[in-house]
Amino acid sequence: MSHFFAPLAGLVMFALGSGYLMTLVPLRISHLEYSNMFSGLIGSAYYLGLFAGSFRSEKLVSRVGFIRSFSGFMAILCCSVLLMAVFTDIYSWILLRFINGVTVAGIFVALESWLLRESDSKNRGRILSFYMVSLYGAHALGQLFVGILDSDTLLPFIVIGALLSLSIFPPATTRSPTPELSEKPSALHLKALFSLTPSGATGCFAGGLVLGALYAILPIYLLRTYTDNTDISILLSITMAGGMILQYPIGHLSDFFDRRKVLIAVSLAGVACCLAYMLIENNFWLQLVILFFIGGATFTLYPLSISHGCDHMLPEDIVAGTQGLLLFYSVGACLGPLLGSLLTRLMADGLMLFFVLVMGGLACFFMWRLFDRPAIYSSDEQPFIAMPRTTAVVAQLDPRSEAEET
């Protein structure tokens, strides 16, 4: 496991800073008194950059190696984050967040490719679990900076820049040799993928809609009730913790029941939680509990949909299939902040209503699919694997596939 310490340690430091940045940006936009539509535009610009960078960074990683590419992308990310403290006009931020997305994608490609080439079929599932816990655990902890640092000052950007800079240290000083990246992720025609598993593609798209809006709009939505950044940081942290903690029990439950029924149950539970949040008064502890389950519902849509899609694929097609499903998620993540901010602009509870519409519509779609396509018998099902929503490379870490070892 010593071979994995350097990339995972770098990931934790990076995720602490980037998780905090994801929340700081909408809060800062609100403090600068820009409309929620601009927050949606900036959120979409980030996911558009992440989408573009995910499929264009691997050539550079292959040419210069994991450590150099990781350090180079991180340097550009640090620079673009610090420039956000200098330029406060909204159009500069849209451009800088797009650059953030491109560089973050390059960082993920470098880290995931490194882990992929160091792992094999015997430990790939364990490494993916460590990767998930490191990424989402650090993201959740990063929210606590919101309650510690004043979002109106330049200090948060300095702290984020420092964390991002420190993330270079473990990979740059490791004595373990890094492997060569020799294989390229395969691609699958999206039309053929949708024909193979329309439920999986639709579920991933809906997951992107919900999570794109959650990251971009939820901090601003909480500002309508709470002015204390400490309260907001705790609420955001518990939302992400719910998404991380509930993925595994819900996912393993789907190994024993038709995944579409589990997706229906999760979607309806998310709808109920969002409606409850809209109806309750300002009760911090009750909202804390509800947001924990909202996080669990929204964060599990994508991995459940991926697993359902994999049930219809041959093992050798899983890498290409999961990469294609990530594309559907990415398109949803680009559109989610725009649509969510539009509803938030029209009404106070617009964000929760947006979640209700998306998850309610998804539940109705899966109910219709139950009658249109028979269930996959458990002997043919692939085991549930919680997949990160990062880049196409992470699909090759999926232990359900029969990727060739080197």
Side-chain angles (χ1 to χ4, degrees), residues 65-88:
F66 300 109
I67 294 176
R68 288 193 181 102
S69 58
F70 176 82
S71 302
F73 282 123
M74 192 65 73
I76 299 174
L77 178 60
C78 285
C79 180
S80 61
V81 168
L82 293 175
L83 285 175
M84 293 178 71
V86 178
F87 300 102
T88 57

Side-chain angles (χ1 to χ4, degrees), residues 69-254:
S69 58
F70 176 82
S71 302
F73 282 123
M74 192 65 73
I76 299 174
L77 178 60
C78 285
C79 180
S80 61
V81 168
L82 293 175
L83 285 175
M84 293 178 71
V86 178
F87 300 102
T88 57
D89 66 284
I90 201 70
Y91 300 104
S92 296
W93 272 39
I94 291 174
L95 175 62
L96 289 170
R97 279 304 275 166
F98 176 80
I99 296 172
N100 286 173
V102 173
T103 55
V104 166
I107 290 165
F108 278 130
V109 167
L111 288 172
E112 291 164 3
S113 301
W114 189 346
L115 294 173
L116 171 68
R117 304 306 297 167
E118 288 281 16
S119 63
D120 54 39
S121 59
K122 295 179 181 179
N123 63 7
R124 195 161 288 152
R126 196 158 28 119
I127 296 307
L128 185 61
S129 297
F130 284 135
Y131 181 85
M132 286 280 295
V133 172
S134 300
L135 177 62
Y136 292 127
H139 266 177
L141 289 175
Q143 307 310 306
L144 300 179
F145 284 111
V146 176
I148 299 172
L149 305 175
D150 187 353
S151 301
D152 290 330
T153 67
L154 300 182
L155 184 58
F157 293 99
I158 296 173
V159 170
I160 292 170
L163 287 169
L164 296 177
S165 299
L166 285 173
S167 70
I168 300 174
F169 183 78
T173 57
T174 182
R175 298 180 63 182
S176 301
T178 59
E180 294 291 331
L181 179 64
S182 58
E183 64 182 276
K184 297 181 180 180
S186 56
L188 185 67
H189 194 279
L190 293 185
K191 184 177 180 181
L193 178 62
F194 187 83
S195 300
L196 178 66
T197 173
S199 297
T202 304
C204 289
F205 176 74
L209 285 174
V210 169
L211 281 176
L214 184 144
Y215 276 115
I217 310 297
L218 183 58
I220 296 177
Y221 178 76
L222 294 176
L223 277 175
R224 74 187 184 97
T225 306
Y226 299 99
T227 56
D228 187 350
N229 283 348
T230 301
D231 292 337
I232 293 176
S233 70
I234 294 172
L235 290 167
L236 291 170
S237 182
I238 204 67
T239 303
M240 296 184 186
M244 181 180 69
I245 293 170
L246 294 180
Q247 276 200 48
Y248 293 95
I250 293 175
H252 288 300
L253 185 68
S254 73

Side-chain angles (χ1 to χ4, degrees), residues 48-60:
L48 185 62
L50 191 68
F51 174 77
S54 295
F55 299 92
R56 293 293 181 267
S57 303
E58 202 167 349
K59 288 184 179 179
L60 178 63

